[in-house]
Amino acid sequence: SKKPVRVAVTGAAGQIGYALLFRIASGEMLGKDQPVILQLLEIPDEKAQNALKGVIMELEDCAFPLLAGIEAHADPMTAFKDTDYALLVGARPRGPGMERADLLAANAQIFTAQGKALNAVASRNVRVLVVGNPANTNAYIAMKSAPDLPAKNFTAMLRLDHNRAASQIAAKIGCAVGDIEKLAVWGNHSPTMYADYRFATVNGKSVKDTINDHDWNANTFLPTVGKRGAAIIAARGLSSAASAANAAIDHMRDWALGTNGKWVTMGIPSKGEYGIPADVMFGYPVTCEGGEYKIVEGLEIDAFSQECINKTLAELQGEQDGVKHLL
Ligand code: NAI
């Protein structure tokens, strides 16, 4: 049988953690033949550490055959030791009266420390997914704080936006969501993201030609996907945790095990593709194979799409400028 791999998860006692850990431990993320050791990080606060203990008791009680070990940590320097995968879920939420700059600064502190810890103690090939918001900028900060690790191994989660877009399209067309191929989401994980179905197909047929309604695209589809998180908070009274955890599983599974040519969306550091400045943590369509992602290149960007991409890029550059002095 395979040697266990180490999976670190931060914010492990939070909402997303509760929807995520059991699926990682059951083999849904890295395969039903891959044992895992969970290295769970929470803030040192007694309440959070106690909650983490409770989650660990439940993980034990599932008797998952693939769960080869569970550790509780309060310090990223021990939580990330030798870790092969790191899911950075914990972040500072916006509190009452908190300005955007305060939020960026609080998270810059967290993700600088976690990037440095990964740099110091993680596996040299650790694959990092940042879920905690602002996800793209937090991933950028962690990447910049870990100069000895490959920059390409730092990614941000755009997969929830991708899955939300696929589901809206399937409902519009009346097709199975699994039959949609070649969907892309560009940019920031925020309402400015640009979900782009111009290249998408359903059973080989063009989604754009089938829908054939630019007004629906611009005035219904994009706002619905962009504001989906807020709609769920309004309905549920709590933020989307199960669907976010599901997207994190999808992201890591596809990265590790491959997509068989299927396009998925990942937030990754640009190397200049599609005119995005280098190092900007940007949502791109990718395919994955052999543990590596590859950007889908050569797609034509029309005027409407360029306008959308410019807008989400400007927002991201604003965030990244806002934390530059803290790095
Ligand atoms: P939550 O508040 O239920 O849980 C967050 C947990 O992280 C808490 O237990 C907290 O103690 C912990 N935490 C905070 N700072 C930490 C640190 N420095 N180290 C370790 N743990 C820390 O929040 P929830 O619902 O689980 O969401 C987590 C994050 O994911 C939020 O930032 C949320 O905005 C983001 N999110 C991102 C999505 C995406 O698509 N990228 C989708 C949905 C949520």
Side-chain angles (χ1 to χ4, degrees), residues 160 164 227-241 243:
L160 183 53
R164 285 167 172 168
K227 295 179 195 152
R228 187 72 163 178
I232 287 166
I233 293 176
R236 204 171 87 91
L238 288 167
S239 61
S240 46
S243 52

Side-chain angles (χ1 to χ4, degrees), residues 11 14-16 42-43 89-91 110 114 131-133 157 189 239 244:
Q15 269 212 99
I16 293 176
E42 260 296 343
I43 50 173
V89 178
I110 293 173
Q114 294 190 357
V131 175
N133 279 319
M157 193 165 94
H189 168 66
S239 61

Side-chain angles (χ1 to χ4, degrees), residues 59-82:
L59 281 164
E60 289 167 352
D61 294 351
C62 291
F64 289 118
L66 289 172
L67 189 51
I70 319 176
E71 305 167 3
H73 295 274
D75 178 353
M77 285 295 282
T78 57
F80 295 157
K81 181 95 181 86
D82 297 329

Side-chain angles (χ1 to χ4, degrees), residues 186-195 226 308 311-313 315-316:
W186 305 91
N188 199 5
H189 168 66
S190 92
T192 67
M193 60 86 233
Y194 172 45
C308 294
K311 190 171 151 208
T312 192
L313 173 62
E315 180 185 56
L316 257 179

Side-chain angles (χ1 to χ4, degrees), residues 12 35 40-41 54 65 79 90 103-104 127 187 215 222-223 264 271 297:
L40 307 178
L41 179 66
L103 183 76
L104 282 170
R127 287 182 169 73
D215 183 65
L222 288 173
V264 294
K271 291 208 207 75
E297 297 212 60

